[in-house]
Amino acid sequence: MPESLYRKKVSTQVLESLQEKIRTGEYAPGDKLPPEITLAKQFGVSRTAIREALNILSISGVITSFQGGGRQVNEVHLVNMLEVLPYSVIDVSEIIDLLEMRMVFEVEAAALAAQRHEKEDEIELLQALNQFQNTLTNRESIGFEADYQFHLVLIRAAKNAFFEQTFINISTVLQNSLQFSLSKNIGKPRKRKEVYQEHEKIYEAFCARDSDTIKTVMKAHLMNVKTKLEEIKSMDE
């Protein structure tokens, strides 16, 4: 049994150890990882530290978490093992709070954008939509940059400087949250396509200058993300 890991951040040491076990094949692609309580005993640390390390592996696509419990090792690429993630630990509850704010902020901004946008905004939004579509065929692409750009174009099209500046002010945390939520769709082409289709509906309502429809589809889009995050949170508890 490894000695207790307390000289530096516990979850970081657990993460490094798990990465090494995966790299060396001790945990091979397709293998199920031991339960959190077993790993906690093996490392001599709390289950919270184990959960934090597993969350990071999940975000980077190294492992997959299943509803109802259990985690499986994926086919590992070097980039996954070396990736520096924007979060050392993801707090799903805070991302859910962010989604609730976005449902108030972006739904109304989208309605204004549908009314106020110019032809150039339609072109930009289509470019962002196409960029997101291009990520669907790349199994390792998360697509959060294209997702962020799509929502940014919408905000700018509302022609309200305060909306745009507020969106830019939270750009880092927003992009991080998009990276986290979209990473859960890696290896799930149907889920990835569903997100694209939600964006497509937003684009169509935008071009039609249909404020009521764009509010409905934008709220549904964000609510779907929130529901997925709530499922992730319940699995981790």
Side-chain angles (χ1 to χ4, degrees):
M1 182 182 298
E3 62 179 335
S4 189
L5 308 173
Y6 284 103
R7 279 188 290 275
K8 63 178 179 178
K9 188 169 182 181
V10 177
S11 60
T12 300
Q13 292 198 63
V14 172
L15 173 63
E16 291 171 353
S17 183
L18 288 172
Q19 284 178 318
E20 181 65 14
K21 290 177 183 294
I22 293 170
R23 187 189 66 78
T24 60
E26 184 174 340
Y27 295 140
D31 286 352
K32 286 192 174 181
L33 292 177
E36 285 180 13
I37 190 168
T38 302
L39 289 172
K41 290 178 180 178
Q42 289 177 353
F43 287 103
V45 299
S46 69
R47 290 182 66 178
T48 299
I50 296 295
R51 189 174 300 125
E52 289 175 354
L54 292 173
N55 278 344
I56 294 172
L57 290 175
S58 179
I59 296 160
S60 58
V62 175
I63 65 173
T64 296
S65 299
F66 297 104
Q67 190 166 4
R71 295 174 173 88
Q72 179 177 294
V73 179
N74 296 327
E75 186 72 34
V76 177
H77 300 275
L78 183 61
V79 66
N80 298 124
M81 302 306 291
L82 298 178
E83 183 179 15
V84 178
L85 295 168
Y87 294 171
S88 60
V89 175
I90 293 293
D91 186 332
V92 180
S93 295
E94 290 187 359
I95 301 179
I96 292 172
D97 289 344
L98 175 63
L99 256 297
E100 291 177 352
M101 185 276 286
R102 290 181 64 192
M103 278 189 281
V104 174
F105 177 70
E106 290 191 55
V107 168
E108 295 301 326
L112 291 176
Q115 297 169 9
R116 299 174 178 176
H117 75 266
E118 300 170 359
K119 189 63 179 179
E120 291 78 7
D121 299 314
E122 291 185 13
I123 295 171
E124 282 191 51
L125 194 62
L126 179 58
Q127 289 173 340
L129 181 65
N130 289 338
Q131 184 183 358
F132 189 82
Q133 184 181 35
N134 291 339
T135 69
L136 301 184
T137 56
N138 186 340
R139 291 178 60 85
E140 297 177 28
S141 174
I142 295 177
F144 74 94
E145 300 97 333
D147 195 317
Y148 172 78
Q149 185 63 28
F150 182 88
H151 288 270
L152 177 60
V153 172
L154 270 174
I155 292 293
R156 285 177 171 163
K159 310 302 179 185
N160 183 309
F162 288 97
F163 279 177
E164 181 177 349
Q165 191 58 53
T166 299
F167 196 81
I168 291 172
N169 286 347
I170 64 170
S171 63
T172 298
V173 67
L174 179 55
Q175 289 184 68
N176 287 344
S177 69
L178 288 171
Q179 183 178 16
F180 175 73
S181 60
L182 290 175
S183 71
K184 300 301 180 180
N185 292 335
I186 290 179
K188 301 176 182 177
R190 184 177 64 83
K191 291 290 186 182
R192 291 165 67 93
K193 187 175 181 181
E194 286 175 359
V195 176
Y196 168 76
Q197 289 172 336
E198 290 168 8
H199 283 188
E200 192 174 38
K201 289 178 182 178
I202 293 168
Y203 169 75
E204 290 170 353
F206 177 82
C207 293
R209 297 186 182 276
D210 187 340
S211 296
D212 290 337
T213 297
I214 201 170
K215 287 174 70 172
T216 299
V217 294
M218 176 63 83
K219 185 174 182 179
H221 169 57
L222 296 175
M223 181 60 73
N224 286 340
V225 180
K226 183 171 182 280
T227 299
K228 179 171 63 177
L229 291 172
E230 287 173 337
E231 290 173 353
I232 294 169
K233 182 174 181 290
S234 66
M235 285 192 299
D236 286 339
E237 289 178 344

